[in-house]
Amino acid sequence: MRILLTGGAGYVGSACLRWLIKNGHEPVAYDNLSEGNAAAVPGERLVVGDLENREAIAEALRSHGAEAVMHFAAVASVPDSIADPDTYWKVNVVGTKNVLDAMRDCGVRTLLFSSTAATYSFDNPMPLTEDAALVPQVPYGTTKLAAERLIADYARAYEMGYTFLRYFNASGADPDGEYGEDRRSESHLIPLILYAATGRRDKVLVFGGDWDTRDGSCVRDFVHTDDLAQAHQLAIESLEPGMGRVYNVGNGAGHTVLEVLRACEEAVGRSVPHEIVERRPGDPGVLIASPERLKSELGWQPRHDDIRDIASTAWQWTNRYPKGYASKTGDSRSMS
Ligand SMILES: NC(=O)c1ccc[n+]([C@@H]2O[C@H](COP(=O)([O-])OP(=O)(O)OC[C@H]3O[C@@H](n4cnc5c(N)ncnc54)[C@H](O)[C@@H]3O)[C@@H](O)[C@H]2O)c1
């Protein structure tokens, strides 16, 4: 299938792009490289463009002969979304409308959307099923839910088909150690731990040591990017106009932040400096997916569901390329 991946130079999008190539599809990335990396996209498969440009998206769809879209491009930091909702509504909602309008312009009628656990109310019982109440607590989640609603409205009116994949914590790296997580401004737990391990950061902060969990730190559900990619492949291959489906993508097992720290320390072979600080606004104590619908309806079978395996693939990438893609290509870029 010929597929356009918005955000295809980003962490999850590029992992999906490479997975799709391996599995016989023809993907191209459409990305403004604000956070993504050209070197994450193999071959001549990158179109540099912004979500604000509907014509450029349509041109990318036409020139690739795209039959489907996977829409990963977004801004996705919880604290930034609280400080700057303007950008979050523009990119995540207006940007999604531009993708949908470009698809209509070109007669492309199937869309996979990267949604998030942040669309749910954190008061729901865990693990979260797809029927749990949707009450986002932060602007990032609000804009992602608004984009879901927009897509569903378009699909109903214009005979499109969609699947929302609500990811939990995307993690890990390419098992060959050649590709991994590398953003300009990093806020995700595992890369931050590994940066503290290599001295790129002084230490990693653990937000809250007094949650009602096994060791007082937050519990999250970590899912490897190759397992996420497998979910995308299964979903796109079975998606048709007229369909509207929602799946959680997580392992169904929670790990505390301190357990993840230990798994990373085991992978690295030494202790990692860390400090337990106050809870962060908007964070829930426990967030775990029920992946049962994805397993039973699409036959999803995660292959990297052990947190030690996730930590070890992430470490293999960070150890080989301590400054991410800049270490591979020689480019310099600012990182925080
Ligand atoms: N990483 C996670 O744990 C996680 C969890 C839940 C949901 N998600 C969702 O998955 C998707 C991908 O996340 P990621 O972790 O790969 O993030 P990422 O930042 O690595 O990738 C996002 C990509 O979108 C591009 N982009 C951003 N704004 C753009 C714009 N205006 N025009 C064109 N391109 C633009 C960036 O350059 C980047 O390559 C996002 O939609 C995110 O909300 C991620």
Side-chain angles (χ1 to χ4, degrees):
M1 200 181 291
R2 305 182 71 82
I3 309 165
L4 184 88
L5 279 63
T6 73
Y11 172 51
V12 181
S14 66
C16 288
L17 183 134
R18 296 186 300 270
W19 178 276
L20 290 168
I21 295 170
K22 276 189 210 148
N23 286 281
H25 293 287
E26 276 296 332
V28 288
Y30 179 91
D31 199 299
N32 70 356
L33 301 181
S34 55
E35 289 289 348
N37 296 278
V41 180
E44 304 289 310
R45 293 178 182 271
L46 173 64
V47 178
V48 178
D50 200 284
L51 287 183
E52 70 185 8
N53 191 340
R54 163 180 172 173
E55 235 337 286
I57 303 169
E59 180 47 36
L61 288 169
R62 269 188 222 105
S63 59
H64 186 54
E67 301 154 79
V69 172
M70 293 186 181
H71 182 31
F72 299 91
V75 278
S77 148
V78 167
D80 289 356
S81 78
I82 296 170
D84 179 17
D86 178 14
T87 298
Y88 277 69
W89 281 87
K90 263 188 216 141
V91 177
N92 293 354
V93 183
V94 180
T96 299
K97 184 171 183 313
N98 287 336
V99 171
L100 289 164
D101 287 329
M103 289 173 65
R104 287 182 67 206
D105 294 343
C106 301
V108 179
R109 292 167 63 211
T110 46
L111 174 74
L112 238 65
F113 176 61
S114 303
S115 193
T116 165
T119 53
Y120 290 111
S121 161
F122 300 145
D123 294 332
N124 285 304
M126 299 291 155
L128 286 163
T129 63
E130 291 80 356
D131 303 323
L134 292 164
V135 186
Q137 322 277 307
V138 288
Y140 167 56
T142 314
T143 57
K144 283 292 198 174
L145 183 57
E148 283 195 4
R149 297 268 154 86
L150 176 65
I151 294 165
D153 286 350
Y154 265 57
R156 214 171 294 119
Y158 307 124
E159 294 173 357
M160 295 169 139
Y162 66 85
T163 301
F164 303 146
L165 294 175
R166 293 191 186 130
Y167 317 161
F168 283 61
N169 287 61
S171 51
D174 162 41
D176 297 332
E178 279 301 312
Y179 300 95
E181 202 156 7
D182 180 15
R183 302 183 187 80
R184 273 162 189 75
S185 103
E186 191 50 78
S187 61
H188 294 77
L189 179 65
I190 293 179
L192 291 179
I193 294 173
L194 298 178
Y195 294 167
T198 54
R200 189 164 143 183
R201 294 230 171 184
D202 295 346
K203 60 186 171 194
V204 60
L205 300 180
V206 175
F207 294 102
D210 55 354
W211 294 98
D212 184 15
T213 59
R214 289 187 283 279
D215 56 24
S217 64
C218 291
V219 170
R220 294 289 180 272
D221 185 333
F222 294 84
V223 57
H224 193 281
T225 44
D226 272 9
D227 291 331
L228 271 170
Q230 183 204 140
H232 283 72
Q233 183 197 348
L234 294 168
I236 203 76
E237 288 176 352
S238 55
L239 180 58
E240 288 173 14
M243 282 183 172
R245 308 180 298 184
V246 186
Y247 298 104
N248 287 337
V249 197
N251 276 316
H255 294 282
T256 70
V257 169
L258 291 174
E259 287 166 355
V260 176
L261 182 85
R262 303 285 169 250
C264 290
E265 287 179 332
E266 205 177 298
V268 173
R270 57 181 180 273
S271 62
V272 174
H274 65 279
E275 184 184 345
I276 298 174
V277 295
E278 289 292 298
R279 294 179 181 190
R280 203 169 40 175
D283 270 351
V286 179
L287 206 49
I288 304 174
S290 163
E292 293 317 313
R293 185 187 284 180
L294 184 63
K295 287 183 170 172
S296 64
E297 290 187 10
L298 297 190
W300 183 66
Q301 287 294 339
R303 293 174 195 161
H304 301 275
D305 53 359
D306 183 333
I307 192 67
R308 288 169 304 184
D309 180 24
I310 290 175
S312 129
T313 59
W315 171 240
Q316 207 187 332
W317 154 253
T318 307
N319 190 30
R320 186 175 297 176
Y321 299 112
K323 292 204 167 126
Y325 290 101
S327 308
K328 285 184 86 168
T329 61
D331 292 345
S332 62
R333 47 184 275 172
S334 58
M335 288 163 279
S336 60

